[in-house]
Amino acid sequence: MGNAYNVMAATCPSRTVLHRIGARWTVFIVNALDNRPMRFTELKAHIRGITPKALTEALRAMEYDGLISRTEIPASPPHVEYALTDLGRSLLTPLRAIREWAESHVPDIERARARADAQR
Amino acid sequence: MGNAYNVMAATCPSRTVLHRIGARWTVFIVNALDNRPMRFTELKAHIRGITPKALTEALRAMEYDGLISRTEIPASPPHVEYALTDLGRSLLTPLRAIREWAESHVPDIERARARADAQR
DNA sequence: CCCGGACGGTATAGATTCGATACCGGTATC
DNA sequence: GATACCGGTATCGAATCTATACCGTCCGGG
């Protein structure tokens, strides 16, 4: 059956969805939460180079879209846990594929860039 | 075998690769060039809402990275054709998956957003 | 020869987002 | 009481993206 949505259409709602998936840190967060929930500082340590502001914004946005859940745990000391929702977990396969493509094609891209640089 | 690259490392070159894949228009362009080369204006018409500047920049960047090729065809009238390279074609499968995820999960995301909005 | 249109872009300005850095309130531990 | 960790905010300047207007080349028609 055909799909009701088409990202190529300027005003299609799938555009905003795609925009969120493609946002700077989404792929990192989904991959990081792959096999267990994590706390804020844990995520920050795991995803090297992310600033707390960027992490906060990404987590809030993903929570808003139902990709992750934020749970305050009233233990002592209290802390916060972020976890993938079912919806977020369904993103895991495609985003893991993206991550793997990136990691496995670094030499190809670097070769292409070097060739392009040399051409001038 | 383990991978030599890891996107979670702050300075890993795979970061720049991932950044390019995740750039605003890459997924659109790769999907558009799926089964045939296209000309500039054709791409612009196909990817609704993209500005010529954004398209130019995205195409240049993707050419630099070896994902697409740009060919000036000296016919009459002369024109320009953009096509996926082998490397670009290898991105097709993961990026098509992303597109399909976006198109098929619109209702889920919209429900989540509505629920979050209602909560306040 | 001149006009108009299609093609493949540039130029410029404004809005938006991003990153770096510093700071902060609450809780627990020493 | 001092110190440290957690989960963030605040602020500001730099980089990026969008909208809009414009442009040179080539071509076909009149």
Side-chain angles (χ1 to χ4, degrees):
Chain A
M1 62 272 148
N3 214 312
Y5 299 101
N6 179 358
V7 293
M8 297 302 180
T11 61
C12 183
S14 60
R15 277 277 173 101
T16 73
V17 173
L18 194 52
H19 196 249
R20 186 58 43 81
I21 301 176
R24 187 83 182 79
W25 298 106
T26 303
V27 57
F28 293 91
I29 294 172
V30 170
N31 271 292
L33 295 178
D34 185 347
N35 39 26
R36 65 187 172 90
M38 281 197 188
R39 298 161 64 165
F40 187 89
T41 25
E42 210 174 352
L43 275 169
K44 190 156 69 68
H46 200 81
I47 306 171
R48 306 294 179 79
I50 192 172
T51 65
K53 185 191 174 213
L55 183 55
T56 301
E57 284 170 2
L59 290 171
R60 295 275 189 274
M62 291 173 69
E63 190 194 0
Y64 179 68
D65 283 359
L67 297 176
I68 59 172
S69 64
R70 176 185 185 279
T71 324
E72 300 187 10
I73 295 179
S76 175
H79 59 274
V80 179
E81 245 181 34
Y82 292 97
L84 290 177
T85 60
D86 286 343
L87 186 57
R89 240 184 309 282
S90 75
L91 247 183
L92 204 48
T93 305
L95 285 193
R96 197 158 35 200
I98 293 294
R99 177 200 177 158
E100 277 161 12
W101 192 99
E103 289 178 346
S104 62
H105 288 81
V106 171
D108 296 324
I109 303 267
E110 285 185 338
R111 230 183 340 264
R113 287 177 184 172
R115 215 175 307 138
D117 287 339
Q119 200 126 4
R120 274 172 304 150
Chain B
M1 60 274 141
N3 213 313
Y5 299 101
N6 179 356
V7 294
M8 297 300 181
T11 61
C12 182
S14 60
R15 278 276 173 102
T16 75
V17 173
L18 193 53
H19 195 250
R20 185 57 45 81
I21 302 176
R24 187 82 182 78
W25 298 106
T26 303
V27 58
F28 294 90
I29 294 173
V30 169
N31 272 291
L33 295 178
D34 185 346
N35 40 25
R36 67 187 172 90
M38 280 197 189
R39 299 162 63 165
F40 187 88
T41 26
E42 211 173 352
L43 275 169
K44 189 157 69 70
H46 200 81
I47 306 170
R48 305 297 179 76
I50 192 171
T51 66
K53 186 186 174 217
L55 183 54
T56 300
E57 283 170 1
L59 290 171
R60 296 272 189 278
M62 291 173 68
E63 191 194 359
Y64 179 68
D65 282 0
L67 297 177
I68 60 173
S69 64
R70 178 185 184 277
T71 325
E72 299 187 10
I73 294 180
S76 175
H79 59 274
V80 179
E81 245 181 35
Y82 292 95
L84 290 176
T85 60
D86 286 343
L87 185 58
R89 240 184 309 283
S90 76
L91 246 183
L92 203 47
T93 305
L95 285 193
R96 196 158 35 201
I98 293 295
R99 177 201 176 156
E100 278 161 12
W101 193 97
E103 288 178 348
S104 62
H105 289 81
V106 171
D108 296 323
I109 302 268
E110 284 184 338
R111 231 185 337 267
R113 288 177 182 170
R115 214 175 308 136
D117 286 339
Q119 201 124 4
R120 272 172 305 148

